[in-house]
Amino acid sequence: MKRIIMGLFLLTFLVINPSLTNAISMPCSLVLEPTDKTLTNAKGIALIYKVQLHPPSFPRTNISILAVHLPAPSTYGNYDSYEGFAYIPDEISWRFRLYPTPEEESPTWAGRFDLITAKMENIHVQVRLSNSKTNKLGPSILSNHIKSCK
């Protein structure tokens, strides 16, 4: 009898407290924080949600990124743009170009990727430097983990 009561108690706790699972609820937004703490104004946001682009195909996951107050990419060396980069460690990664808005000083960088079919667990999302001519990806400027999604 005690085992049954204990089992029911544990089952109830897991159902009432779903934060013990790795799954996120969608849509969710994720604040991207600077990896270099001297970049006090640099911030970003990642929106993660399901899209169905060509019905009747199955839904896929979209990651959209908007980043503001980033330094000019060339201040870090031979880079001319930024890219969105998301990955599941030791499994898969996605990268997509971020495009600047036309402001002359400190443009907003934005982009999206719509074709993710993997489960959205243990995802890291970053804004990284990029050289569009050599296709070289540089270090992360903004970053966060999907466990921070709200």
Side-chain angles (χ1 to χ4, degrees), residues 8-84:
L8 287 173
F9 174 77
L10 286 174
L11 182 62
T12 303
F13 179 75
L14 291 174
V15 170
I16 292 173
N17 191 1
S19 64
L20 297 177
T21 66
N22 289 330
I24 64 163
S25 60
M26 285 203 237
C28 76
S29 60
L30 176 64
V31 176
L32 303 175
E33 298 289 347
T35 55
D36 178 356
K37 299 307 175 196
T38 63
L39 297 174
T40 56
N41 289 330
K43 294 283 184 197
I45 188 78
L47 174 64
I48 303 170
Y49 68 104
K50 291 285 187 189
V51 293
Q52 190 165 0
L53 300 174
H54 305 287
S57 71
F58 61 92
R60 292 170 170 82
T61 301
N62 165 285
I63 297 179
S64 299
I65 294 178
L66 180 132
V68 296
H69 298 290
L70 300 178
S74 60
T75 61
Y76 289 96
N78 193 20
Y79 300 105
D80 60 359
S81 64
Y82 287 100
E83 286 191 23

Side-chain angles (χ1 to χ4, degrees), residues 81-95:
S81 64
Y82 287 100
E83 286 191 23
F85 186 75
Y87 67 98
I88 300 172
D90 302 320
E91 189 173 327
I92 192 168
S93 65
W94 305 274
R95 62 188 276 193

